[in-house]
Amino acid sequence: MQVLSVTPEIFPLIKTGGLADVTGALPAALAGLGVATRSLVPGYPVVMNALKKKKTVHHYPALQGGKAALHSAEIAGLDMLVLDAPHLFDRPGGPYGDVTGADWQDNWRRFAALGRVGADIAAGVVKDYRPDIVHAHDWQSAMTLAYMRYGEAADVPSVMTVHNLAFQGQFGASIFAGLGLPQQAMALDGVEYYGGVGFLKAGLQAAWAITTVSPTYAQEIRTPAFGMGLDGLINLRSPDLYGIVNGIDDDIWNPETDTHLAATYTSKSLKGRKANKRAIEERMTLDRDDGPIYCVVSRLTWQKGIDILSTIIDPVVASGARLAILGSGDAGLEGALLAAAARHRGRVGVVIGYDEGLSHLLQGGADGILIPSRFEPCGLTQLYGLRYGCVPIVARTGGLADTVIDANEAAVAAGVATGFQFAPEDAGAFHHAISRANALHAEPAVWAAIQKQGMKSDVSWDRSAQKYAALYRMLLSKRDA
């Protein structure tokens, strides 16, 4: 089975969050199930620099304002198709904005081009290749499905995966003329969205099947509270909606072999974690003692509940815990955390930015990871925490609720607890969950049992890849019926 994955990010080439981890790891997991994946990605500078050997498989004399080419290559073990369009993607900064973080004003044009090319590939523009399934990820790839619907690939089954419904790709009606779609597409059952054009909405409307990245989030987005204005459409499409929890690459995230750690370890012996904890203390300038270290590895945003965290730092520190925080995001939240670090020298360490190696070390040495998200489609950091014995303390929402078993009295007695959940997502409930964690951390045998149970969790892609493969086969059966 041939699957074309259309994605704006893919690890290890270009990553701003968990989307890249998913699109980078899923192809290998599917390969063992008889599914061959080719990934179409934009030709950002970092991607073009990774093209050592390439074969040009198609030329575009004019694609959204300039010449473009489509290259085939293998990069980092991934079968890739790269859209080389310098006028759209050869820019400094991130994939969606300039070096200041401001969005590119022509993002609609950039990702409409990606969608157009995805649909062309689905229609057979690449010689000797036509995918059986097209799988689009998030709003930046969603127009692929709209172009397929109104073009020559309407008969190719498609999947739209929503990694975060909050990001939708909404643009004014004036851009419609530049999309190259027939006039009938500018309608309620097409790409029109509240008088403008909605890229994600268009993909949700056109997809044969819709997936989200956890079963709980699939149900949450059917409600006004989580539906972000799209809950009506999602409820209409509910027979075609599936929640498939993400996995992680358990070769990259493996405490037995991780070169980012000061010491490796296994679930049978956690001794190596102590050396990693000492390394965190040194790296984050934290006092050395035997109390718990709770880490945060996150975008520093309202969605992630970092404002909730900032309000309880003082009592958490007063309880004897230390905090090691890695992330970047909202300037106000960055400032609040840095101020807390200045207030509590030796008890709170903050690194602003993205550091892959440090994120591994924090998972390998911190006692727990704090994830107070207001909503969380899946979440990956709690999966890394489970894998590394870094006990997750999470809000009871989305994929966090699906993947962490709360350490209530019954679960601890039964030996099945893997972390701590709290609800509602507010300071009182969050602080209470940390207090529960502190109490059990003071009982080393109980804490180690929770760590080891978490490390037994199947957080790999194996089961989830099987569910994707089954969904693909179901769609092919539907096509052939």
Side-chain angles (χ1 to χ4, degrees):
M1 186 192 308
Q2 300 288 332
V3 173
L4 174 68
S5 172
V6 186
T7 177
E9 302 180 27
I10 191 165
F11 183 84
L13 296 176
I14 180 75
K15 172 180 174 177
T16 67
L19 166 63
D21 291 315
V22 173
T23 56
L26 185 55
L30 287 168
L33 302 172
V35 178
T37 305
R38 296 186 89 174
S39 299
L40 170 65
V41 299
Y44 309 116
V46 68
V47 175
M48 297 305 299
N49 290 339
L51 284 177
K52 304 305 181 185
K53 293 182 179 180
K54 65 179 187 291
K55 178 182 178 182
T56 303
V57 294
H58 192 70
H59 287 280
Y60 287 91
L63 179 69
Q64 287 294 350
K67 294 181 179 180
L70 186 62
H71 306 305
S72 175
E74 183 177 309
I75 309 174
L78 295 162
D79 186 359
M80 307 279 286
L81 290 166
V82 177
L83 175 55
D84 182 8
H87 62 294
L88 299 175
F89 301 115
D90 185 10
R91 304 176 183 185
Y96 316 122
D98 61 25
V99 291
T100 71
D103 285 351
W104 299 112
Q105 293 303 300
D106 63 345
N107 270 345
W108 72 269
R109 191 181 296 279
R110 302 169 75 224
F111 295 107
L114 180 67
R116 167 65 77 181
V117 172
D120 288 347
I121 297 168
V125 76
V126 176
K127 185 179 179 182
D128 298 326
Y129 178 72
R130 188 174 185 187
D132 300 299
I133 300 281
V134 173
H135 191 159
H137 296 268
D138 271 356
W139 75 263
Q140 299 93 336
S141 307
M143 286 299 290
T144 303
L145 310 190
Y147 283 116
M148 290 169 61
R149 177 186 178 188
Y150 295 104
E152 299 177 11
D155 61 334
V156 179
S158 60
V159 178
M160 179 77 240
T161 292
V162 179
H163 295 265
N164 191 334
L165 197 66
F167 303 104
Q168 300 183 3
Q170 297 181 35
F171 304 97
S174 61
I175 75 158
F176 180 76
L179 294 176
L181 288 168
Q183 188 60 43
Q184 69 261 31
M186 190 59 177
L188 182 61
D189 67 346
V191 305
E192 187 273 335
Y193 186 55
Y194 290 103
V197 174
F199 278 33
L200 181 59
K201 186 264 184 181
L204 294 172
Q205 194 81 55
W208 287 39
I210 299 166
T211 71
T212 67
V213 288
S214 71
T216 294
Y217 191 60
Q219 296 308 307
E220 288 177 339
I221 63 174
R222 297 180 63 183
T223 68
F226 292 90
M228 305 291 175
L230 285 166
D231 48 290
L233 172 58
I234 291 166
N235 276 298
L236 286 172
R237 297 298 319 272
S238 61
D240 306 308
L241 176 65
Y242 304 85
I244 302 175
V245 72
N246 283 337
I248 63 173
D249 188 325
D250 55 5
D251 290 326
I252 293 173
W253 290 92
N254 184 352
E256 296 185 38
T257 59
D258 194 333
T259 58
H260 295 298
L261 302 183
T264 56
Y265 58 95
T266 71
S267 60
K268 294 180 180 179
S269 175
L270 301 175
K271 290 181 180 179
R273 297 195 96 258
K274 189 169 184 178
N276 296 325
K277 191 170 185 176
R278 300 284 90 94
I280 291 171
E281 291 168 343
E282 182 176 347
R283 176 75 182 272
M284 306 293 280
T285 321
L286 295 175
D287 296 339
R288 182 169 178 170
D289 62 47
D290 293 326
I293 293 177
Y294 298 121
C295 71
V296 175
V297 182
S298 177
R299 288 185 290 113
L300 305 180
T301 64
W302 177 89
Q303 180 212 324
K304 298 294 184 178
I306 302 303
D307 57 315
I308 302 173
L309 170 67
S310 69
T311 66
I312 64 168
I313 288 178
D314 292 351
V316 168
V317 170
S319 74
R322 291 160 293 165
L323 297 176
I325 301 169
L326 169 64
S328 62
D330 180 88
L333 293 176
E334 291 181 359
L337 297 176
L338 289 168
R343 267 196 326 273
H344 300 289
R345 295 189 184 279
R347 310 307 295 176
V348 178
V350 177
V351 172
I352 300 298
Y354 171 75
D355 187 321
E356 185 76 13
L358 179 57
S359 71
H360 284 244
L361 178 63
L362 291 173
Q363 297 281 14
D367 297 281
I369 182 166
L370 306 179
I371 312 175
S373 302
R374 285 186 168 87
F375 63 95
E376 194 62 69
C378 177
L380 293 176
T381 53
Q382 87 278 13
L383 302 182
Y384 303 145
L386 292 169
R387 176 83 163 130
Y388 279 59
C390 183
V391 178
I393 302 170
V394 304
R396 189 178 298 126
T397 186
L400 303 176
D402 290 331
T403 54
V404 176
I405 300 173
D406 182 68
N408 56 58
E409 188 173 342
V412 171
V416 297
T418 62
F420 299 83
Q421 294 187 8
F422 67 92
E425 295 78 36
D426 61 29
F430 187 23
H431 187 213
H432 179 63
I434 295 173
S435 297
R436 288 201 293 137
N438 286 343
L440 292 186
H441 184 269
E443 301 183 46
V446 175
W447 191 261
I450 295 171
Q451 290 178 294
K452 291 180 179 181
Q453 186 63 26
M455 294 178 76
K456 293 178 184 176
S457 301
D458 182 3
V459 295
S460 73
W461 270 108
D462 292 347
R463 284 190 297 174
S464 298
Q466 290 171 10
K467 291 180 180 179
Y468 276 114
L471 176 60
Y472 296 156
R473 293 190 183 98
M474 184 274 289
L475 293 178
L476 290 174
S477 297
K478 185 177 178 181
R479 179 200 65 185
D480 297 336

